[in-house]
Amino acid sequence: MKTRYKKIIDPIYDAEVHVITDCSHNAMNSKINKLYKNVEEDKEQCFHKAECFRLIHDNNYKNYVVWFLHFKAKKAETLYTIAHEVSHLVDRIFEDRGVKDTEARAYYYEYWVRQLWQFCSKK
């Protein structure tokens, strides 16, 4: 399994999201440690095959990580996993930006599902 990585910067809410897939949880942590030194992870202990969490930097800047253990391209289960993690991602970004508009959330959710589906479904 070869680790796949993409940084996506959303121009609307200026959110930087690191998408990491096709690797173990330990490999994902190694990738984050190579990208950033002295960053705090705002997450719970992971026992799943996917995860979404914040990275909090010394200057209180926040960016986000979405990790998936593996993907089988164009399978319904893949889309369900993406949808689930995107829900967490949008919640965190909107919480950090103080956005409460439900219609904006729906459009933003769609944006991220499309972004992750396009990246993750490519092999």
Side-chain angles (χ1 to χ4, degrees):
M1 193 164 37
K2 183 179 177 190
T3 300
R4 296 175 46 225
Y5 166 79
K6 183 174 183 177
K7 177 170 77 172
I8 303 171
I9 299 176
D10 158 47
I12 300 168
Y13 294 100
D14 194 29
E16 180 180 296
V17 177
H18 300 275
V19 184
I20 305 170
T21 185
D22 295 331
C23 66
S24 69
H25 196 261
N26 287 338
M28 179 269 297
N29 282 327
S30 293
K31 178 69 175 174
I32 296 302
N33 290 333
K34 287 178 187 175
L35 290 170
Y36 300 108
K37 303 293 182 218
N38 301 323
V39 68
E40 178 185 337
E41 295 179 356
D42 179 20
K43 67 177 183 175
E44 298 174 7
Q45 185 72 343
C46 177
F47 298 102
H48 305 287
K49 296 179 181 180
E51 186 175 32
C52 174
F53 59 93
R54 285 182 190 94
L55 297 174
I56 304 171
H57 300 262
D58 290 341
N59 63 358
N60 207 32
Y61 174 75
K62 296 176 180 87
N63 54 357
Y64 310 87
V65 174
V66 181
W67 164 76
F68 304 100
L69 178 62
H70 62 81
F71 272 107
K72 294 178 181 152
K74 304 194 183 200
K75 298 277 186 182
E77 184 179 329
T78 301
L79 182 58
Y80 303 152
T81 303
I82 288 172
H84 178 96
E85 295 307 323
V86 164
S87 179
H88 295 305
L89 176 64
V90 170
D91 287 348
R92 285 176 175 87
I93 292 170
F94 273 25
E95 178 183 315
D96 292 342
R97 307 293 186 283
V99 179
K100 296 182 183 351
D101 184 324
T102 59
E103 190 66 15
R105 186 190 191 290
Y107 282 111
Y108 199 54
Y109 179 88
E110 180 182 341
Y111 167 81
W112 279 111
V113 168
R114 286 176 184 262
Q115 291 293 315
L116 296 184
W117 178 252
Q118 288 172 357
F119 172 69
C120 293
S121 64
K122 291 179 185 174
K123 289 287 180 183

